Amino acid sequence: MNSKILAISVALAAAAALSGCAYDQGPHGATVAVGVAPGYDYYDGYYDGYYGPFYDGYWGDDGAYYYADSGHAWHRDDGHHFSHSMSSGFSHVHGSGVHREH
């Protein structure tokens, strides 16, 4: 095989792997969208659905949870609607954990 074709094939395969997305529908309708890329620190957490569909989020340096809305704007969860542990009324979520301090 030509080395240029091989190099292009490898580059295209890597690009496809990095751009993939996984979607999961939680028991309370929380939609999870997680991008696949190196450097992500995936985590499992729990969410009560208060803010609407779940897109992504992370635990900040201050211990608070920051979540993304549908427009990719970040908000601090001052209402404690996200948790590290399961509680009644909370659904499982799986996030990228990419740290974005504001």
Side-chain angles (χ1 to χ4, degrees), residues 1-15:
M1 181 181 269
N2 184 324
S3 63
K4 282 185 179 180
I5 293 173
L6 178 61
I8 291 170
S9 297
V10 170
L12 289 174

Side-chain angles (χ1 to χ4, degrees), residues 9 12 31 39 47 51 55-56 75 82 89 93-94 99:
S9 297
L12 289 174
T31 302
Y47 170 51
Y51 303 117
Y55 295 98
D56 201 2
H75 307 276
F82 289 89
V93 294
H94 182 75
H99 198 259

Side-chain angles (χ1 to χ4, degrees), residues 1-56:
M1 181 181 269
N2 184 324
S3 63
K4 282 185 179 180
I5 293 173
L6 178 61
I8 291 170
S9 297
V10 170
L12 289 174
L18 294 177
S19 65
C21 290
Y23 296 92
D24 184 22
Q25 187 73 24
H28 296 287
T31 302
V32 179
V34 179
V36 179
Y40 281 41
D41 186 17
Y42 297 105
Y43 67 91
D44 293 304
Y46 301 91
Y47 170 51
D48 67 6
Y50 182 83
Y51 303 117
F54 174 78
Y55 295 98
D56 201 2

Side-chain angles (χ1 to χ4, degrees), residues 42-84:
Y42 297 105
Y43 67 91
D44 293 304
Y46 301 91
Y47 170 51
D48 67 6
Y50 182 83
Y51 303 117
F54 174 78
Y55 295 98
D56 201 2
Y58 68 94
W59 297 100
D61 290 340
D62 59 0
Y65 190 82
Y66 292 84
Y67 64 95
D69 63 22
S70 62
H72 306 291
W74 293 94
H75 307 276
R76 180 185 161 110
D77 174 33
D78 289 323
H80 305 288
H81 297 284
F82 289 89
S83 174
H84 289 289

